[in-house]
């Protein structure tokens, strides 16, 4: 987890003014943008909106810097392997629409995936694409791997797994799953929405073919920023379903396309830019590198240690409260800053609502298991945890 560097928690919290009003334990749904990043973000919006085409080149340059920043963050070999998207769901949807799979093929995923994974593949199956099948995951990685092995068939073409489950916070053995898939010639897509920004996510170390993520959760970046990483060799296998100016090569040329554009000599761009077209929200991406740099300056090792320490402290305190069932593994290597628990006498829905309505503690309910999910982020304090525990004591039935 890196060296012993720490950061000034009070200064970090002062840059997040909402923390003066509420106990914010829901970075897993949407993160908070620190004020210095917000200033840059708003300035970039203003510059492009005021400058129009005069400011377009600068906005596009900033957009390319965001691509490079995402690429560096996940250790992609080249920014050309990154398609910039609006969110993590877009990355899944691009593959569900563009990978050439038949109704005989199987896409295998887990029972704890976000709708971002389930719905694009379910819709693809309805359109006559591959069949979507699920396998259960467990707090014990060996059990998860055994269930994964049992679910594999000769028809499995793609395995899609969360790096960290958005429901139970279980960290999946993604590198091992990808290794086993590679051995069998099965493609892999990792959903990094709940891991990116919490601990290192290295696509080369994981060995996945694709990884989707976003800027708006643990990175505290702008809403509407996401990316799809595609290993260079895979890009040509994914046909863009939405195409326009920017997604082909050579660049659009009216003369060359002539009267029969479909028959003219053009192809989709050989890079992940093939999924981007038209006038885009270039300026929305401008502050993404600022958000990443802000956290990098605090120190990735320090952030990871902080998330580990606060979530571990929370789990230890939850274990002392009668009626609590913890759904998240206790070991940091098998979990993350997400902590999910059930409380006897409460549905997740009711407990979540009461924690917000009466205690101004923002978290999220989980449907299966019926539970509440709390996010311990780089700015979470012991006092946040104490407030949550005090509320749970009061709500004991
Ligand atoms: C694991 C996981 N994947 C995907 C998403 C969807 O992310 P986005 O809203 O960026 O599409 C979420 C959001 O909560 C998530 O937790």
């Amino acid at each position: 987890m890196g060296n012993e560097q720490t950061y000034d928690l009070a200064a970090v919290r002062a840059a997040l003014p909402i923390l003066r009003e509420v106990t914010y334990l829901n970075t897993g749904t949407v993160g908070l943008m620190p004020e210095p990043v917000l200033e840059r973000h708003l300035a970039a919006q203003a510059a492009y909106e005021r400058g129009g085409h005069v400011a377009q080149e600068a906005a596009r340059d900033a957009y390319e810097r965001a691509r490079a920043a995402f690429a560096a963050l996940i250790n992609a070999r080249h920014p050309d392997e990154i398609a910039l998207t609006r969110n993590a769901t877009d990355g899944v949807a691009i593959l569900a629409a563009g990978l050439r799979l038949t109704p005989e093929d199987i896409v295998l995923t887990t029972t704890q995936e976000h709708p971002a994974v389930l719905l694009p593949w379910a819709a693809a199956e309805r359109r006559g694409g591959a069949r979507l099948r699920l396998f259960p995951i467990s707090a014990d990685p060996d059990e998860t791997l055994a269930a994964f092995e049992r679910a594999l068939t000769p028809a499995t073409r793609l395995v899609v797994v969360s790096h960290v489950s958005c429901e139970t916070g279980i960290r999946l053995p993604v590198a091992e799953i990808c290794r086993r898939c590679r051995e069998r010639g099965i493609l892999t897509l990792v959903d990094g929405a709940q891991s990116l920004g919490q601990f290192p996510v290295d696509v080369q170390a994981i060995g996945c073919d694709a990884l989707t993520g976003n800027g708006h959760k643990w990175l505290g970046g702008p809403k509407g920023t996401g990316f799809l990483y595609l290993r260079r060799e895979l890009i040509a296998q994914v046909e863009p379903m939405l195409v326009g100016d920017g997604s082909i090569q050579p660049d659009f040329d009216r003369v060359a396309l002539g009267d029969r554009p479909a028959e003219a000599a053009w192809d989709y761009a050989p890079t992940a830019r093939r999924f981007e077209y038209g006038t885009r929200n270039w300026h929305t991406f401008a502050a993404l590198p600022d958000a990443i740099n802000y956290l990098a300056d605090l120190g990735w090792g320090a952030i990871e240690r902080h998330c580990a320490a606060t979530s571990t402290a929370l789990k230890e305190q939850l274990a002392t409260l009668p009626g609590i069932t913890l759904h998240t593994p206790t070991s940091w290597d098998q979990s993350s800053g997400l902590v999910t628990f059930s409380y006897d006498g409460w549905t997740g829905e009711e407990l979540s609502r009461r924690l917000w309505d009466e205690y101004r503690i923002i978290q999220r309910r989980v449907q299966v298991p019926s539970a509440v999910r709390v996010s311990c982020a780089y700015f979470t304090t012991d006092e946040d945890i104490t407030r949550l525990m005090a509320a749970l004591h009061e709500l004991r039935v």
Side-chain angles (χ1 to χ4, degrees):
M1 264 196 246
N3 58 30
E4 290 311 306
Q5 183 195 345
T6 57
Y7 47 84
D8 180 347
L9 195 52
V12 156
R13 289 178 68 86
L16 303 167
I18 189 80
L19 300 182
R20 293 196 278 273
E21 296 164 36
V22 306
T23 302
Y24 200 92
L25 298 175
N26 204 6
T27 299
T29 297
V30 70
L32 298 175
M33 182 178 278
E35 291 292 299
V37 179
L38 179 61
E39 266 175 42
R40 302 287 295 265
H41 179 57
L42 295 177
Q45 311 303 296
Y48 187 38
E49 299 298 1
R50 289 193 179 121
H53 199 226
V54 174
Q56 187 150 308
E57 198 176 321
R60 293 191 76 150
D61 287 349
Y63 183 76
E64 289 305 319
R65 281 196 293 278
R67 190 191 309 278
F70 271 138
L73 186 67
I74 61 166
N75 195 28
R77 282 172 300 173
H78 198 279
D80 285 351
E81 296 180 312
I82 302 290
L84 292 178
T85 63
R86 294 166 298 190
N87 49 41
T89 309
D90 267 353
V92 183
I94 285 172
L95 280 169
L99 259 184
R100 284 177 219 102
L101 297 176
T102 71
E104 284 71 49
D105 295 336
I106 287 180
V107 172
L108 181 63
T109 191
T110 85
T111 49
Q112 291 193 18
E113 297 304 322
H114 191 272
V117 165
L118 295 177
L119 296 180
W121 291 108
E125 181 177 337
R126 281 188 174 184
R127 287 194 302 267
R131 293 165 290 161
L132 180 63
R133 295 293 179 265
L134 315 183
F135 72 95
I137 64 171
S138 149
D140 174 353
D142 290 334
E143 268 182 40
T144 299
L145 288 169
F148 158 73
E149 291 280 349
R150 279 194 300 274
L152 285 175
T153 77
T156 309
R157 295 282 168 270
L158 172 74
V159 169
V160 189
V161 281
S162 285
H163 200 170
V164 170
S165 157
C166 62
E167 308 296 37
T168 56
I170 292 171
R171 190 189 307 200
L172 276 86
V174 285
E176 182 57 21
I177 289 174
C178 291
R179 192 186 66 74
R180 295 184 187 194
C181 286
R182 230 176 11 257
E183 277 176 6
R184 296 166 163 97
I186 299 169
L187 294 173
T188 47
L189 164 63
V190 172
D191 177 352
Q194 295 294 354
S195 54
L196 210 67
Q198 285 209 65
F199 53 81
V201 175
D202 178 330
V203 288
Q204 296 191 56
I206 294 171
C208 54
D209 294 297
L211 183 137
T212 192
N214 59 39
H216 71 76
K217 292 184 192 288
W218 299 90
L219 294 174
K223 283 68 187 166
T225 56
F227 72 92
L228 172 65
Y229 156 79
L230 280 181
R231 194 169 51 77
R232 194 161 29 207
E233 296 75 8
L234 179 63
I235 295 172
Q237 292 179 46
V238 189
E239 191 176 345
M241 281 300 126
L242 300 173
V243 180
D245 195 16
S247 48
I248 63 161
Q249 69 154 29
D251 277 348
F252 173 76
D253 177 337
R254 193 178 303 282
V255 176
L257 256 62
D259 291 342
R260 299 269 172 95
E263 293 163 22
W266 59 266
D267 202 349
Y268 301 120
T271 70
R273 287 178 187 78
R274 61 172 48 196
F275 306 107
E276 302 168 26
Y277 50 86
T279 304
R280 305 185 72 77
N281 50 349
W282 292 302
H283 52 322
T284 301
F285 282 83
L288 194 265
D290 297 301
I292 293 176
N293 290 338
Y294 181 89
L295 297 179
D297 287 347
L298 298 181
W300 292 115
I303 289 173
E304 184 179 356
R305 278 194 302 281
H306 187 84
C307 293
T310 47
S311 57
T312 302
L314 171 59
K315 288 178 214 173
E316 284 168 3
Q317 292 183 41
L318 285 170
T320 67
L321 186 59
I324 293 282
T325 305
L326 188 63
H327 300 291
T328 310
T330 48
S331 125
W332 172 251
D333 289 344
Q334 289 160 21
S335 63
S336 78
L338 293 180
V339 179
T340 299
F341 58 91
S342 303
Y343 200 16
D344 284 355
W346 293 95
T347 65
E349 176 105 42
E350 287 164 340
L351 182 60
S352 175
R353 194 172 44 240
R354 292 285 286 275
L355 286 170
W356 173 243
D357 286 350
E358 290 173 31
Y359 300 93
R360 284 296 180 252
I361 299 174
I362 185 121
Q363 27 59 47
R364 163 195 184 284
R365 66 106 203 221
V366 172
Q367 215 182 351
V368 182
S370 185
V372 160
R373 186 193 77 187
V374 165
S375 308
C376 297
Y378 71 96
F379 53 80
T380 303
T381 56
D382 292 341
E383 291 73 36
D384 290 335
I385 290 168
T386 304
R387 273 194 298 279
L388 173 64
M389 292 307 299
L392 292 173
H393 273 282
E394 278 187 21
L395 291 169
R396 196 166 158 197
V397 287

